[in-house]
Amino acid sequence: MSPLLLADLTVFTLGLLVGFEVISKVPATLHTPLMSGANAIHGVVLVGVMLLAATISTPVGYALLAVAAFFAAMNVAGGYVVTDRMLAMFRSRS
């Protein structure tokens, strides 16, 4: 195993552990607003997809890029839909 891969796996594992600890401390009433906002913020993934599009040169790369773009777009759209539904609960009904 290369040192670079080991470093990447270490960062990934630490990110999982810290993320789990942070999310487990969030009260249930705040979980949906935080997750919908986080999903909407994940638009940065779409920026990453656009940057990677300039470097892809194989058919497999294009297929993976299309899958990544699809899931990133769905995540962003879902975040906005959930946020809108959540905010609709607080609007007056008059």
Side-chain angles (χ1 to χ4, degrees), residues 1-16:
M1 188 180 307
S2 73
L4 186 59
L5 179 61
L6 185 60
D8 288 344
L9 287 174
T10 302
V11 170
F12 180 72
T13 304
L14 289 174
L16 282 174

Side-chain angles (χ1 to χ4, degrees), residues 47-94:
V47 174
V49 166
M50 288 186 277
L51 290 173
L52 281 175
T55 63
I56 301 297
S57 61
T58 64
V60 174
Y62 282 118
L64 290 174
L65 186 71
V67 170
F70 175 75
F71 282 123
M74 291 302 294
N75 197 13
V76 171
Y80 283 120
V81 168
V82 170
T83 301
D84 186 55
R85 288 183 66 192
M86 181 190 61
L87 291 175
M89 295 187 318
F90 297 104
R91 291 188 189 124
S92 63
R93 297 178 188 210
S94 52

Side-chain angles (χ1 to χ4, degrees), residues 12-73:
F12 180 72
T13 304
L14 289 174
L16 282 174
L17 293 173
V18 169
F20 180 77
E21 279 299 312
V22 169
I23 294 298
S24 66
K25 303 285 189 263
V26 173
T29 55
L30 291 178
H31 185 71
T32 300
L34 286 175
M35 289 308 294
S36 66
N39 286 346
I41 290 171
H42 279 120
V44 73
V45 174
L46 287 173
V47 174
V49 166
M50 288 186 277
L51 290 173
L52 281 175
T55 63
I56 301 297
S57 61
T58 64
V60 174
Y62 282 118
L64 290 174
L65 186 71
V67 170
F70 175 75
F71 282 123

